[in-house]
Amino acid sequence: MEAIVLTAGFSSRANAFKMTLPLGEMSVLEQTISKFEGLCSKVIVVAGFQAELIEEEMAKVIHKNTYSFQLKYVYNENFNQGMFSSIQKGCNEVNALTFFITPGDCPLVKKETVQLIAEHKGNVVIPSFNYKGGHPIKLSSEVKQKILETNPESNLRVVLNSYEKKYVNVDDQGVLMDMDTPEDYQKAVHYYNDFISK
């Protein structure tokens, strides 16, 4: 199993570059990546906007040498075309039969949740909290092929609509929490301190 972590967006609503902000002992990006330890053999990080900051952050993570998976950096030169082009770029690097996709700013998912999704079979497996789908999602190689064959102007939702989706109910609000604004980041820090780090 492998994972794609998307970090190429513009962070237009968050002031500081959110992936490198601290969350507990790690950065936001490392918190997101760390959830795949023990489950994935490779984690592909797709960068675009401010790619050099992502590259620096990844160098720090690799230097720590705490993870067993291969960490691969990929630059999407077409990141301004939108998230789907980054998903396609990541899919080009996937060799496994199943893989996760998550935005880099979803660092609050519990590791147990990722484990649970990994165990479910299906082309499209989505964690759900209070009947709302979240991240990370797990996809099959069949879906990967379809993503790669789809027009870059399209989006992931369109591709996934042609598959049956399996929703896995989880007791984990973290699957819905991303960090689009400075307020979201403050919320994330409080949530992390109250629920995750203990």
Side-chain angles (χ1 to χ4, degrees):
M1 205 177 290
E2 297 173 359
I4 297 172
V5 177
L6 303 165
T7 69
F10 283 110
S11 299
S12 47
R13 288 181 289 173
N15 295 347
F17 189 60
K18 57 191 174 185
M19 302 297 169
T20 54
L21 291 170
L23 188 61
E25 302 286 298
M26 304 177 190
S27 64
V28 167
L29 179 59
E30 188 179 355
Q31 287 285 3
T32 302
I33 290 170
S34 69
K35 304 303 191 303
F36 300 110
E37 173 59 30
L39 287 171
C40 292
S41 57
K42 180 163 70 173
V43 174
I44 300 145
V45 177
V46 185
F49 179 64
Q50 294 193 325
E52 61 289 345
L53 291 178
I54 296 292
E55 217 170 352
E56 277 169 32
E57 189 54 43
M58 283 177 67
K60 286 181 205 161
V61 174
I62 290 166
H63 184 68
K64 282 185 182 176
N65 205 14
T66 41
Y67 301 107
S68 60
F69 50 69
Q70 178 200 354
L71 195 53
K72 184 166 175 76
Y73 168 86
V74 179
Y75 177 66
N76 176 20
E77 58 288 335
N78 301 318
F79 68 88
N80 55 353
Q81 286 180 3
M83 192 191 279
F84 192 63
S85 68
S86 293
I87 291 171
Q88 288 181 316
K89 196 84 183 172
C91 282
N92 268 320
E93 304 292 332
V94 169
N95 301 315
L97 291 174
T98 54
F99 64 104
F100 291 103
I101 292 187
T102 188
D105 66 343
C106 290
L108 298 167
V109 175
K110 294 176 187 158
K111 194 141 186 239
E112 302 83 68
T113 300
V114 182
Q115 179 87 51
L116 193 63
I117 302 159
E119 288 162 7
H120 274 74
K121 302 242 182 302
N123 280 316
V124 181
V125 183
I126 303 173
S128 162
F129 179 78
N130 282 353
Y131 304 102
K132 271 197 192 131
H135 290 96
I137 61 173
K138 189 181 88 164
L139 303 175
S140 68
S141 52
E142 187 187 322
V143 180
K144 177 189 86 168
Q145 217 31 59
K146 181 87 168 158
I147 288 169
L148 291 172
E149 289 162 7
T150 299
N151 184 323
E153 309 282 300
S154 187
N155 62 56
L156 187 60
R157 188 173 286 127
V158 170
V159 174
L160 298 187
N161 278 344
S162 39
Y163 293 93
E164 184 196 344
K165 299 181 186 73
K166 282 204 175 152
Y167 287 94
V168 180
N169 290 319
V170 294
D171 184 18
D172 181 0
Q173 197 184 334
V175 300
L176 301 180
M177 295 175 80
D178 58 11
M179 295 177 8
D180 286 334
T181 64
E183 294 72 40
D184 290 343
Y185 171 63
Q186 291 310 325
K187 259 190 230 158
V189 170
H190 291 306
Y191 181 84
Y192 179 84
N193 292 337
D194 291 347
F195 296 105
I196 310 269
S197 62
K198 294 206 167 35

